[in-house]
Amino acid sequence: MMEAIFKREIVVNKIASCIIGVITFVVLTSLGAFVRIPLPFTPVPITLQTLFVLLSGLFLGSLGVISQVIYVLLGIAGFPIFSGAGSGLFYLSGPTAGYIFGFIFATLFLGKFIKQIKVNLFSLLIILCLADLIILSCGTFWLKIILGLPFKKLLFIGFIPFIPGDFLKILVAASLYLRLKSRLQEIFF
């Protein structure tokens, strides 16, 4: 009896499950901004957002972009969901804006390519590293615009410090995706 209950499909409407998935990743990305480690040598803190951005692209496919666009729009609208409880359009002129917009481009990339690759650990790690590279590149490019520092200095304040933590987040995202892949395809696609 109990086994039949556990095997029963809870979500029958794929549209509803997609909406719930998008909302879930808006909330998780927002909460990830509050897990924040400031670094003394850069205006950009380490956050947990990258993990949820990568997971939104993996779990939701192309709908991951929608979750990140909604996240940005809610922040612009005044909800204190950016890092450090920041919000508003003015916040997006600060040092983290490039990374935030990189979230959108990274999920766009992941959503497009996750369905096109043969998913194994190696290919998944490559695609996640490329998505993370998009985020870090957008952030570093934005820092160049607002700070005007030399490229070498920008690498040390906007790119290199984030690689170890981001690689750990990539491993977690890949592990979760590989474990849940078949179930996610039943629910969302």
Side-chain angles (χ1 to χ4, degrees), residues 32-83:
F34 290 95
V35 178
R36 174 178 196 274
I37 303 169
L39 300 173
F41 53 87
T42 176
V44 181
I46 294 172
T47 69
L48 201 53
Q49 291 171 291
T50 311
L51 173 64
F52 299 120
V53 170
L54 296 175
L55 287 173
S56 72
L58 290 176
F59 285 18
L60 300 176
S62 58
L63 292 175
V65 174
I66 295 171
S67 71
Q68 297 310 308
V69 168
I70 292 171
Y71 166 73
V72 172
L73 292 175
L74 288 172
I76 290 171
F79 290 89
I81 57 176
F82 294 141
S83 179

Side-chain angles (χ1 to χ4, degrees), residues 102-123:
F103 296 170
I104 295 169
F105 296 122
T107 52
L108 184 65
F109 171 80
L110 278 172
K112 180 173 176 56
F113 288 103
I114 193 63
K115 290 184 179 180
Q116 296 180 2
I117 64 168
K118 182 179 178 191
V119 177
N120 56 45
L121 181 59
F122 179 75
S123 64

Side-chain angles (χ1 to χ4, degrees), residues 167-179:
F167 191 68
L168 182 59
K169 294 174 208 172
I170 286 168
L171 291 175
V172 169
S175 175
L176 285 171
Y177 181 74
L178 289 174
R179 287 180 187 218

Side-chain angles (χ1 to χ4, degrees), residues 133-145:
L133 181 63
I134 291 169
I135 296 169
L136 292 175
S137 297
C138 288
T140 304
F141 177 73
W142 180 251
L143 287 173
K144 174 69 176 165
I145 290 172

